[in-house]
Amino acid sequence: MKYYRLFILFIVIIASNAVKAQESSASAIWPVLGKNDTIRVAATNDNGYMIPWIGLDEVVINGKRIWHSAEEQAAYNRLRYNVLKVMPYALYAKRRYEKLESDLATVTEKKDQKKLVKECDNEIKNMFNTEIKELTITQGQILTKLIDRELGRTTYDIVKQTKGGFAAFSYQLVARVVGHNLKNTYDPVQERDIESIIVNSGYYQ
């Protein structure tokens, strides 16, 4: 009999807690609806008050740039043209190098790795012979910076990793002769104009 009474008491306690939970949920205070409140949104129970909320997309606000002279605006327009000219090459280099790293991770034989590197090298050379060689010195300098921006490593480091230190040194010597530097790095603070052009270009939308 004693255990029976304890069992009954246990059932009563559970039932009482369930009723209290229902009463607490039922007593939650909802905002008064207006005639235009027709949008279904999420809500959070904050100590009995139901607070409706809705997630919003990020909003980016850019100030209008004020030019101090016509020459300054012309220089920016030239920079914008050059950045948009070479940006596709930087993005191509990023995709191709990422593919190379992915392919190299799937093979273990040295000869297979060399074959993959050679294929990548030939693709880059073909692009250089048909398009990149037509770039101006300024555009080439911007391109080496953008490659560092996209890949997180300089063009010199990429050549050194894929073709060896001697090849990287040789390429750097040739590049310096024509006004390039394969060791150019990218600093978004120092290159704030380039960064602004890229962000507003639509490449990442």
Side-chain angles (χ1 to χ4, degrees):
M1 180 64 70
K2 179 180 178 181
Y3 293 107
Y4 177 75
R5 289 177 180 176
L6 289 176
F7 177 75
I8 295 298
L9 179 61
F10 180 70
I11 295 298
V12 170
I13 291 174
I14 293 178
S16 176
N17 289 336
V19 170
K20 288 180 180 179
Q22 292 178 356
E23 290 177 349
S24 176
S25 176
S27 63
I29 301 175
W30 288 82
V32 178
L33 297 180
K35 63 178 181 179
N36 295 322
D37 292 325
T38 58
I39 302 176
R40 186 182 296 274
V41 298
T44 300
N45 189 334
D46 184 14
N47 295 324
Y49 288 88
M50 300 304 295
I51 303 176
W53 57 271
I54 185 171
L56 299 177
D57 294 331
E58 179 184 6
V59 177
V60 179
I61 300 176
N62 297 316
K64 184 177 181 180
R65 184 163 184 171
I66 299 176
W67 305 106
H68 296 92
S69 65
E71 291 76 12
E72 183 184 34
Q73 184 174 6
Y76 179 85
N77 289 337
R78 287 194 300 271
L79 176 64
R80 184 176 186 276
Y81 172 82
N82 289 331
V83 170
L84 297 182
K85 173 77 173 180
V86 302
M87 188 62 184
Y89 301 129
L91 293 177
Y92 170 82
K94 177 183 180 180
R95 292 191 298 267
R96 188 61 185 87
Y97 188 70
E98 287 178 344
K99 183 178 184 304
L100 174 61
E101 286 192 321
S102 176
D103 292 341
L104 289 175
T106 62
V107 297
T108 56
E109 296 292 336
K110 288 290 185 179
K111 63 177 182 179
D112 294 331
Q113 293 178 349
K114 290 182 178 180
K115 181 180 178 181
L116 291 173
V117 171
K118 186 176 181 179
E119 289 175 355
C120 179
D121 189 47
N122 288 337
E123 288 187 27
I124 299 297
K125 284 182 178 178
N126 289 336
M127 176 176 286
F128 178 86
N129 291 330
T130 58
E131 300 179 47
I132 297 180
K133 70 176 182 179
E134 303 297 332
L135 298 180
T136 65
I137 292 177
T138 299
Q139 290 170 350
Q141 292 170 344
I142 295 174
L143 177 57
T144 56
K145 292 182 179 181
L146 295 187
I147 288 177
D148 180 64
R149 179 186 187 273
E150 296 300 318
L151 290 171
R153 62 191 72 182
T154 65
T155 305
Y156 181 89
D157 291 335
I158 294 173
V159 175
K160 183 177 180 180
Q161 181 179 354
T162 56
K163 299 185 70 64
F166 180 77
F169 176 76
S170 300
Y171 286 11
Q172 173 72 342
L173 287 179
V174 175
R176 297 298 287 175
V177 170
V178 296
H180 295 288
N181 184 1
L182 301 184
K183 296 182 179 181
N184 275 340
T185 58
Y186 184 84
D187 184 344
V189 176
Q190 294 181 355
E191 309 292 350
R192 57 183 181 275
D193 283 343
I194 294 180
E195 188 68 18
S196 174
I197 292 169
I198 295 173
V199 170
N200 293 293
S201 65
Y203 280 107
Y204 298 98
Q205 296 179 357

